[in-house]
């Protein structure tokens, strides 16, 4: 009989865990000095935030963010009951049913009854000059607006460019707006020094070429994935809160925990259920290259009792923006 689903096979590198452990220890001491009671409260599992409802997973925005840009529908004449409904009204215009053009690629909604007052429900639909460089007029806890992006065909694609080839990723702003916001920030830094792949494991005899699991096989090793980091050297990474967590499918790209480590799945991992924030997927035409990366020379190691395959030479990459007009810039 095959073994049942193991504990999660994607774990942080030991070196990363030690580094984060030192930072965490410092923070715990500081919090203990100033707020021992708060620390005790946060130590209980019940204090962890619950995942958001599944019915909102495909149309989300970022609270405390106001995007600017030319309006295609004025919010004063276009009110919606929720941020998700505002997002959906933008999606309905991308592509537009009349001409197929993406007439709306960003939306701004006011849903805080106390602060919005007579502007409650306003849903502004906008069109950015460059949706990957959206115009931001205000950001922060004191901003009453919630904003989000919608990508048309060929938009919202970034490339992880290595010396061996490029993996193009379609980002998902409706499922993971904060994750997409990080990529926009990363492109603005024009620097991705330190971004790299360091773990690579093929499908072996566990999953077929379409990513389906052999019911008579264990769930690994190997675990059919690439793993790396999107943390820029000398630039502090701010943990990304849990977002939509659909099943990890072949081609999915997701955070390990709250980042900056990430994985690219080479198989359908239903056994992981909703453990990971999925923020994009590899374009189908690039999956062959992902499979090739899984065959690179590697050695076996043990991370938190999980047998992993660590690349002998990490594969460094740049992050490249690809626009719908075939122009690009990289960092």
């Amino acid at each position: 009989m095959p073994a049942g689903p193991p504990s999660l096979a994607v774990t942080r590198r030991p070196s990363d865990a030690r580094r984060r452990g030192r930072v965490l220890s410092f923070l715990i001491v500081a919090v203990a000095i100033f707020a021992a009671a708060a620390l005790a409260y946060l130590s209980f599992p019940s204090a962890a935030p619950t995942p958001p409802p599944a019915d909102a997973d495909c149309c989300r925005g970022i609270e405390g963010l106001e995007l600017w840009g030319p309006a295609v529908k004025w919010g004063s004449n276009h009110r919606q009951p929720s941020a998700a409904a505002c997002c959906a009204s933008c999606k309905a215009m991308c592509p537009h049913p009349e001409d197929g053009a993406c007439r709306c690629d960003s939306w701004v909604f006011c849903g805080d009854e106390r602060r919005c007052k007579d502007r409650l429900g306003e849903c502004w639909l906008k069109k950015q000059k460059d949706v990957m460089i959206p115009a931001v007029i205000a950001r922060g806890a004191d901003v009453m607006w919630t904003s989000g992006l919608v990508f048309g065909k060929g938009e919202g694609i970034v490339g992880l460019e290595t010396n061996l080839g490029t993996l193009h990723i379609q980002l998902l702003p409706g499922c993971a707006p904060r994750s997409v916001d990080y990529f926009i920030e990363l492109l603005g830094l024009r620097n991705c020094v330190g971004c790299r792949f360091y773990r690579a494991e093929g499908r072996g005899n566990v999953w077929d070429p379409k990513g389906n699991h052999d019911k008579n096989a264990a769930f690994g090793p190997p675990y059919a994935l690439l793993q790396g980091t999107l943390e820029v050297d000398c630039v502090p990474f701010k943990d990304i809160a849990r977002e939509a967590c659909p099943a990890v499918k072949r081609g999915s790209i997701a955070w390990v925990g709250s980042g900056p480590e990430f994985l690219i799945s080479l198989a359908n991992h239903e056994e992981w259920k909703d453990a990971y924030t999925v923020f994009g997927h590899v374009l189908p035409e690039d999956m062959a290259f992902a499979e090739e990366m899984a065959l690179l020379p590697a050695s076996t190691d043990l991370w938190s009792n999980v047998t992993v395959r660590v690349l002998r030479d990490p594969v460094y990459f740049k992050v490249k923006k690809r626009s719908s007009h075939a122009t690009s810039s990289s960092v």
Side-chain angles (χ1 to χ4, degrees):
M1 292 292 292
S7 58
L8 293 181
V10 187
T11 180
R12 295 189 185 279
R13 294 167 298 161
S15 59
D16 186 77
R18 285 194 295 267
R19 177 178 65 82
R20 287 177 173 259
R22 289 193 296 268
V23 175
L24 181 59
S25 297
F26 173 80
L27 292 175
I28 290 175
V29 171
V31 172
I33 293 174
F34 296 103
L39 176 62
Y41 173 75
L42 292 174
S43 299
F44 289 101
S46 59
T50 57
D55 60 357
D57 286 351
C58 293
C59 249
R60 298 171 169 221
I62 299 175
E63 294 182 1
L65 174 66
E66 183 180 1
L67 295 178
W68 204 238
V72 295
K73 274 195 178 182
W74 285 60
S76 53
N77 301 319
H78 181 242
R79 296 180 187 259
Q80 295 293 330
S82 66
C86 183
C87 169
S89 66
C90 182
K91 278 190 172 183
M93 300 176 66
C94 186
H96 195 277
E98 292 181 3
D99 56 14
C102 186
R103 297 186 183 180
C104 175
D105 58 18
S106 50
W107 54 271
V108 182
F109 176 75
C110 201
D112 187 317
E113 185 174 358
R114 180 181 62 83
R115 293 191 294 176
C116 294
K117 297 181 180 178
D118 61 347
R119 306 194 71 176
L120 182 66
E122 285 192 7
C123 172
W124 293 77
L125 304 186
K126 303 188 175 189
K127 179 70 174 176
Q128 300 292 322
K129 182 177 181 181
D130 185 339
V131 73
M132 288 299 285
I133 313 176
V136 177
I137 190 173
R139 182 193 294 266
D142 59 337
V143 177
M144 65 184 184
W145 300 94
T146 296
S147 298
L149 299 174
V150 171
F151 293 150
K153 184 177 180 180
E155 296 180 326
I157 298 174
V158 297
L160 308 185
E161 187 179 73
T162 76
N163 62 341
L164 304 174
T166 300
L167 289 173
H168 291 96
I169 310 296
Q170 174 67 68
L171 298 174
L172 305 175
C175 286
R178 293 182 184 86
S179 301
V180 173
D181 193 52
Y182 175 69
F183 271 88
I184 291 172
E185 177 185 349
L186 189 62
L187 289 166
L189 288 176
R190 299 186 179 279
N191 170 21
C192 203
V193 176
C195 297
R196 63 194 181 277
F197 291 101
Y198 50 75
R199 177 183 176 187
E201 301 179 20
R203 292 177 285 102
N205 296 319
V206 181
W207 288 272
D208 68 21
K210 294 183 178 180
N212 299 313
H213 180 253
D214 181 347
K215 64 181 180 180
N216 295 315
F219 286 89
Y223 295 103
L225 59 86
L226 306 176
Q227 187 174 340
T229 180
L230 277 157
E231 184 171 28
V232 180
D233 287 351
C234 302
V235 178
F237 180 87
K238 183 179 180 181
D239 287 353
I240 294 176
R242 181 180 172 94
E243 300 189 276
C245 299
V248 176
K249 300 291 187 180
R250 176 173 166 81
S252 294
I253 178 168
W255 295 116
V256 177
S258 52
E261 296 187 82
F262 71 98
L263 67 91
I264 293 176
S265 178
L266 304 182
N268 301 319
H269 284 289
E270 283 87 356
E271 76 276 16
W272 293 347
K273 301 186 184 299
D274 60 350
Y276 301 102
T277 291
V278 175
F279 59 86
H281 60 81
V282 177
L283 297 188
E285 58 266 31
D286 289 346
M287 285 303 297
F289 175 53
E291 295 274 6
E292 291 174 6
M293 288 186 63
L295 301 177
L296 292 172
S299 58
T300 301
D301 200 355
L302 195 66
W303 297 354
S304 301
N305 294 321
V306 176
T307 301
V308 301
R309 188 172 178 273
V310 182
L311 291 173
R312 293 178 185 173
D313 297 308
V315 177
Y316 289 84
F317 60 82
K318 298 178 180 180
V319 177
K320 179 180 181 180
K321 183 186 73 172
R322 189 178 82 174
S323 76
S324 57
H325 303 291
T327 59
S328 63
S329 63
S330 61
V331 298

